[in-house]
Amino acid sequence: MSGAGTLFDLTFLLAVPFWLLMIFAPTWSVTTRIVSSPLTAVPVAVLYAVLVAPVFAEVWAAVTGPDLPGFQELMTLPNGAAAVWAHIIAWDLLVGQWMFLQGRKLGFSPWLMGPLLVLAILLSPLALLVFLALRATRREAARHDGSRHDTAPHDTAQPDTARPVASGD
């Protein structure tokens, strides 16, 4: 097996522990703490850099003037194909982490999120579309029943004025 082939095989193995935590230990506090960090993608990103280095000129040409023949040619190079794979794995992991964290915040069942995260491993753009539809449905339902399942970011520097303040009287 070539060096690029070995690195290709290693790429997904670097992401597997994070996927396993999200799918099989979703309620464990350590899982949330670990996958809340974007640093989980660093090992795959480093591998990507190693793979891109020998074919940087070809990759640069493909991404700065994208066309189908250029990408087809890039994919014929072992390092080019392995680098594209590492790119996909890194971004799929980050998308999966975002879905996981949003799903936890919205109270989605692990029985729903597990299969959705498996779909994200295999076909992340489709999983993202399904998740976004579920998220929109949950937010719409929360709006109608008065639940607090919003995903608006909270500015921690400002007090949360939406919460009732307990009176000391």
Side-chain angles (χ1 to χ4, degrees), residues 26 69 74 77 85 87 102 105 115 146-147 159-160:
L74 177 62
L77 305 172
W85 181 243
H87 186 136
Q102 286 288 299
K105 184 176 182 179
S147 298
D160 188 356

Side-chain angles (χ1 to χ4, degrees), residues 8-164:
F8 177 92
D9 292 341
L10 181 60
T11 301
F12 184 67
L13 294 177
L14 292 172
V16 165
F18 308 111
W19 287 111
L20 291 175
L21 284 171
M22 291 186 289
I23 294 166
F24 294 109
T27 60
W28 188 30
S29 63
V30 173
T31 299
T32 300
R33 189 169 48 243
I34 290 171
V35 301
S36 292
S37 172
L39 297 178
T40 56
V42 167
V44 178
V46 168
L47 200 60
Y48 172 83
V50 169
L51 288 162
V52 163
V55 291
F56 185 79
E58 293 86 347
V59 170
W60 186 253
V63 299
T64 58
D67 65 0
L68 185 57
F71 271 92
Q72 287 172 317
E73 185 170 326
L74 177 62
M75 294 298 284
T76 66
L77 305 172
N79 275 63
V84 169
W85 181 243
H87 186 136
I88 291 168
I89 295 301
W91 290 116
D92 285 358
L93 179 58
L94 290 173
V95 167
Q97 286 176 230
W98 179 80
M99 289 170 44
F100 171 82
L101 294 169
Q102 286 288 299
R104 298 282 297 154
K105 184 176 182 179
L106 292 167
F108 286 159
S109 166
W111 294 104
L112 170 66
M113 289 305 299
L116 197 51
L117 289 168
V118 171
L119 183 60
I121 293 170
L122 303 172
L123 302 166
S124 71
L126 296 179
L128 179 62
L129 290 174
V130 171
F131 180 79
L132 290 173
L134 291 169
R135 180 175 171 244
T137 301
R138 173 61 59 98
R139 293 174 93 187
E140 185 63 28
R143 195 170 315 145
H144 288 298
D145 71 10
S147 298
R148 181 106 200 247
H149 286 295
D150 67 341
T151 58
H154 295 285
D155 184 353
T156 56
Q158 299 295 321
D160 188 356
T161 56
R163 291 189 187 138

